[in-house]
């Protein structure tokens, strides 16, 4: 067993969320996940707020509590500078989870002159890094050290060889495996000492390998090694323009070499970048967005993304609102290069397709090439969503698609769908206006139809059906739809999908 | 049974004549046979030779769903398809026709760059559907067709196009399922006039 130091920052989710929101950690705070309290600050705990409590109940107990949403990302992101700070004074740090660090005790103990001195130094260091109340536990093995840290006032050192005695006094719940803990409790085993007293063979027979591992931990025979993390390199690209540039081609030229260097640096770390965040600052404003890549970014692709972001809807070379002072590019998502290695015969035709489509995007802009995704809804425009090549489709689309959508159109779907519906004219037998009553009855039979919306283009109606009411989202004035649909075949045997919206007729689609 | 023997003899003769005709045609043909693409059985009967050919253009007048049916065969066989300049392309109908949307790229508004965009897509995709806003010049068409032949891509044109392999024109369309005030559109019988190098004939297709 390895002498291990574990540093624990109590209530880390609260500390991180408070720091991220710019709040004071001393006031009553709680971090909420799925409307249950995930963690709370000491001030809130003093008022009776506990983990697992409903958010409403927490608010009832402590009226001035501030509730923050739990975000794993924030947790990890805010902890990163702490890890880096500790790494500066002690080597080989393992990040157990945000809020908890483990490292081998031998090195620091020798360097700083004893385990207690190392622990004191570590508490001081963590206090400097914004963790005022850190606990340090030193024991044989990470499991014992973690529990030592949880029981420490500030520092708790379990002398070498006495970890089993320390662990023996802990309740069985310290094992953390809810199923096993519940079962052992029902078997009358209430402390780790009771569990450790069982014979290893019987435990393995009864509880399998997971049980055997828990038994070893309880007995203080923790063979887990400390795997130190490799500190990631901070790769980002930032180019300042002095004087500020006001033409897109100047900006893209200015970052071309830097973009190549940026990708090369990532490649040197054996990383392929699949998502970048581009922030463009001009005099007074900053435009920021993330760009995805269907494969991985090359330097030229990064330059393209910057150009598209600058262009917006304008064309190349168009003047900008204000001059660009700085372009900053950060990798948002990276993958090991190995996952993207080209096969011996290339990656098949898709690579060529990607290059071809990117070329067209280069001509027309990012939104120029789209791929269709089917969504859900009653209106045709909702059912087909276009996603720019390289972007990810909204994850909710598939879920929306699976819903039943009563009142949507029967098969077949119209082959032509007008993006902006076209005005048409439908008239009754006496060339009178038709309307749908409040009870959903059409006032006459459609007899004349003009696809161009002009009266002199009228032709006879051969067959029709409707009205099929589409009444949706009446609770939301902006998105509400109240219309009636019709299918109609005109004298030239063309089938139309029409919409009667109030008094006016529109063509939504054409079955051609 | 002299009559049976005579008819058998006649059939054999007939086969022989056919074989000779085929040999003569093969010697006379001035073009090399181009690669055939997978074609869906619905439309195979419409096309000269019974299948879509790579490196040629087809024109379709009056039906988007017919174009979708043409694209469905290669798409289901794993080919990529592209659509240029058709912002009204109904993707739901395309999916129902059998086009794999995962391998479909749309360029709805190419503007005046439609020809370079079509050429760029023809470089990498197998089937490209295009609606030309205006009739291109013969020289441009010849260059594009050369590129198509080289890449083995097929062009489907909604509208007119010089030098097309076949021109499919909807002459009659008959819907079933919709009455006067009742029912809904269910299926459709199309009569398609096919004009190819060998002449013009009418074919029926059910969509």
């Amino acid at each position: 067993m390895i002498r291990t130091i574990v540093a624990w920052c109590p209530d880390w989710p609260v500390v991180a969320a408070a720091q991220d929101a710019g709040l004071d950690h001393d006031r009553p705070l709680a971090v909420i996940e799925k409307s249950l309290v995930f963690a709370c600050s000491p001030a809130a705990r003093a008022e009776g707020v506990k983990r697992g409590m409903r958010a409403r109940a927490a608010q009832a107990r402590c009226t001035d509590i501030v509730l923050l949403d739990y975000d794993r990302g924030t947790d990890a992101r805010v902890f990163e500078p702490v890890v880096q700070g500790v790494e500066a004074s002690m080597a080989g740090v393992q990040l157990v989870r945000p809020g908890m660090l483990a490292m081998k005790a031998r090195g620091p103990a020798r360097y700083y002159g004893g385990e207690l001195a190392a622990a004191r130094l570590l508490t001081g260091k963590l206090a400097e890094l914004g963790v005022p109340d850190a606990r340090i536990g030193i024991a044989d093995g990470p499991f014992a050290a973690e529990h030592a840290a949880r029981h420490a006032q500030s520092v708790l050192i379990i002398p070498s060889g006495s970890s089993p005695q320390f662990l023996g006094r802990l309740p069985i719940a310290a094992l953390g495996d809810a199923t096993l803990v519940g079962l052992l409790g029902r078997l009358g085993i209430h402390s780790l000492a009771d569990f450790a007293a069982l014979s290893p063979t019987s435990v393995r027979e009864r509880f399998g390998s997971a049980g055997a591992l828990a038994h070893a931990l309880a007995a203080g025979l923790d063979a887990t090694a400390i795997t130190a993390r490799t500190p990631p390199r901070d790769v980002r690209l930032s180019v300042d323009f002095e004087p500020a540039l006001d033409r897109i081609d100047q900006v893209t030229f200015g970052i071309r070499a830097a973009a190549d260097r940026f990708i090369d640096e990532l490649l040197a770390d054996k990383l392929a970048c699949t998502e970048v965040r581009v922030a463009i600052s001009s005099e007074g404003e900053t435009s920021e967005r993330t760009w995805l890549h269907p494969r991985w970014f090359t330097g030229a692709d990064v330059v393209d993304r910057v150009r598209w972001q600058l262009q917006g809807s304008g064309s190349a070379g168009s003047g900008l609102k204000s001059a660009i002072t700085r372009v900053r590019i950060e990798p948002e998502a990276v993958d090991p290069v190995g996952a993207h290695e080209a096969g011996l015969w290339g990656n098949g035709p898709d690579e060529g397709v990607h290059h071809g489509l990117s070329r067209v995007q280069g001509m027309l802009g990012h939104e120029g090439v789209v791929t269709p995704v089917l969504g859900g809804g009653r209106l045709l425009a909702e059912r087909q969503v276009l996603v720019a090549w390289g972007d990810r489709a909204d994850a909710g689309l598939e879920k929306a698609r699976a819903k039943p959508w009563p009142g949507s159109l029967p098969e077949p779907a119209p082959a032509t769908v007008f993006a902006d519906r076209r005005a048409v004219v439908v008239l009754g037998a006496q060339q009178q206006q038709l309307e749908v009553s409040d009870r959903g009855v059409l006032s006459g039979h459609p007899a004349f139809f003009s696809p161009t919306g002009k009266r002199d283009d009228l032709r006879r109606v051969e067959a029709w059906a409707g009205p099929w009411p589409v009444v949706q989202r009446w609770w939301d004035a902006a998105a509400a739809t109240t219309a009636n649909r019709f299918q109609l075949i005109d004298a030239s045997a063309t089938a139309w999908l029409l919409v009667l919206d109030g008094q006016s007729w529109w063509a939504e689609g054409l079955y051609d | 049974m002299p009559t049976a023997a005579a008819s058998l003899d006649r059939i054999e003769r007939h086969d022989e004549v056919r074989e000779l005709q085929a040999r003569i045609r093969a010697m006379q043909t001035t073009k090399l046979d181009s690669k055939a693409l997978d074609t869906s059985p619905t439309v195979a009967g419409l096309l000269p030779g019974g299948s879509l050919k790579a490196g040629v253009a087809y024109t379709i007048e009056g039906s988007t769903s017919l174009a979708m049916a043409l694209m469905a065969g290669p798409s289901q066989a794993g080919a990529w398809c592209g659509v240029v300049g058709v912002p009204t392309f109904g993707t739901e109908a395309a999916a129902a026709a059998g086009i794999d949307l995962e391998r479909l790229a749309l360029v709805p508004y190419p503007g005046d760059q439609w020809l370079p965009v079509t050429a760029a897509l023809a470089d990498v995709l197998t089937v490209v559907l295009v609606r030309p806003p205006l009739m291109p010049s013969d020289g441009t068409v010849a260059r594009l067709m050369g590129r198509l032949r080289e890449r083995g891509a097929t062009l489907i044109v909604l509208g007119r196009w010089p030098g097309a392999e076949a021109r499919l024109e909807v002459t009659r369309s008959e819907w079933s399922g919709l009455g006067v005030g009742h029912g809904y559109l269910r299926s459709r019988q199309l009569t398609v006039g096919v004009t190819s190098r060998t002449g013009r004939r009418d074919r029926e297709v059910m969509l």
Side-chain angles (χ1 to χ4, degrees), chain B residues 31 55-59 135-136 138 141-142 145 148-149 155 157 160-167 195-197:
Chain B
K31 285 198 310 183
V56 300
Y58 295 90
T59 68
M135 192 80 164
D138 282 0
V141 169
M145 295 315 290
L148 283 179
R149 269 194 297 280
L155 191 69
V157 183
R160 293 176 48 192
W161 195 259
E165 172 82 7
R167 197 169 126 217
T195 318
S196 64
R197 289 170 209 280

Side-chain angles (χ1 to χ4, degrees), chain A residues 53-70:
Chain A
M53 186 180 262
R54 292 184 62 86
R56 288 279 191 91
Q59 281 171 321
R61 293 210 178 171
C62 175
T63 45
D64 57 346
I65 196 167
V66 177
L67 301 182
L68 301 164
D69 282 330
Y70 178 55

Side-chain angles (χ1 to χ4, degrees), chain A residues 350 352-353 356-357 359-360 363-364 368-372 374 380 383-384 386 389 401 410-419 445 462-466 468 487-489 493-495 511-512, chain B residues 62-66 68 80 87-93 95-96 101 104-110 113 116-117 120-121 123-125 147 173-175 178-186 188:
Chain A
D350 290 13
V353 169
L357 296 181
R359 221 176 97 210
V360 178
M363 287 187 232
L364 302 175
V369 182
V370 291
T371 47
L374 295 183
L380 293 179
R383 294 182 74 85
Q384 48 184 44
L386 301 177
W389 175 256
R401 178 85 186 161
E411 294 275 305
T416 296
V417 176
F418 300 112
H445 285 232
E462 296 292 321
W464 62 276
W468 300 330
Q487 278 180 340
L488 182 146
I489 299 178
T494 317
Y511 296 85
D512 66 340
Chain B
S63 177
T64 315
S65 35
L66 191 59
M68 287 176 181
W80 278 77
T88 57
F89 193 79
T91 46
E92 211 178 1
L101 298 189
L104 179 68
L106 310 179
V107 186
Y109 301 102
Q113 301 234 52
V117 167
L121 289 189
D123 275 353
V124 289
L125 310 182
R147 215 152 155 180
S173 132
E174 216 170 293
W175 279 97
L178 193 66
V180 179
H182 58 86
Y184 61 91
L185 295 172
R186 226 166 283 169
R188 181 188 192 193

Side-chain angles (χ1 to χ4, degrees), chain A residues 245-268:
Chain A
L245 301 181
D246 57 357
R247 283 181 59 85
I248 292 174
D249 43 355
Q250 288 173 334
V251 174
T252 49
F253 185 76
I255 63 161
R256 182 151 295 160
D260 282 335
R261 222 166 32 241
F262 165 70
I263 295 297
D264 285 346
E265 263 179 54
L266 282 172
L267 271 179

Side-chain angles (χ1 to χ4, degrees), chain A residues 10 15 22 25 138 141 146 185 187 203 205-206 225 233-234 236 240 305 347 352 364 400 428 430 456 463 491:
Chain A
V15 178
H25 174 232
I138 304 181
E146 180 182 335
L187 290 171
V203 170
E205 262 173 26
R206 175 68 179 77
R233 271 205 319 159
D234 187 21
R236 66 180 70 184
D240 292 283
R305 298 310 185 273
N347 279 5
L364 302 175
Q430 279 82 45
D456 52 358

Side-chain angles (χ1 to χ4, degrees), chain A residues 270-472:
Chain A
K270 301 192 174 54
L271 293 173
C273 182
T274 55
E275 192 176 348
V276 292
R277 169 172 290 278
V278 178
I280 299 171
S281 316
S282 63
E283 288 157 350
E285 51 184 345
T286 303
S287 112
E288 228 181 290
R289 76 161 275 188
T290 52
W291 293 92
L292 282 165
H293 198 281
R295 293 162 63 77
W296 67 89
F297 279 103
T298 63
D301 292 336
V302 174
V303 176
D304 269 352
R305 298 310 185 273
V306 173
R307 195 178 68 229
W308 293 340
Q309 188 164 330
L310 284 169
Q311 273 171 8
S313 53
S315 61
S318 67
L320 303 163
K321 255 183 249 157
S322 54
I324 303 298
T325 53
R326 159 188 266 203
V327 174
R328 205 178 69 242
I329 295 166
E330 294 170 19
E332 276 276 301
V334 288
D335 280 342
V337 155
H340 287 279
E341 201 57 63
L344 190 53
W345 288 277
N347 279 5
D350 290 13
E351 188 179 345
V353 169
H354 169 65
H355 285 307
L357 296 181
S358 304
R359 221 176 97 210
V360 178
Q361 275 185 323
M363 287 187 232
L364 302 175
H366 182 59
E367 308 286 327
V369 182
V370 291
T371 47
V373 182
L374 295 183
R378 294 185 182 85
L379 305 180
L380 293 179
E382 287 171 351
R383 294 182 74 85
Q384 48 184 44
V385 181
L386 301 177
V387 181
W389 175 256
D391 281 0
R392 203 177 286 141
D394 185 1
L397 285 176
E398 206 169 315
K399 221 186 263 173
R401 178 85 186 161
K403 287 180 185 160
W405 298 112
S408 57
L409 281 176
E411 294 275 305
T416 296
V417 176
F418 300 112
D420 302 311
R421 47 191 199 170
R422 281 169 32 174
V424 295
V425 171
V426 177
L427 295 173
Q430 279 82 45
Q431 300 223 353
Q432 84 278 25
Q433 287 286 348
L434 295 172
E435 56 188 40
V436 175
S437 71
D438 288 343
R439 304 196 72 110
V441 179
L442 191 63
S443 60
H445 285 232
F448 296 99
F449 169 66
S450 156
T452 50
K454 295 197 186 83
R455 287 263 179 160
D456 52 358
D457 196 21
L458 284 178
R459 48 190 78 175
R460 292 206 75 85
V461 171
E462 296 292 321
W464 62 276
W468 300 330
V470 182
V471 182
Q472 56 177 4

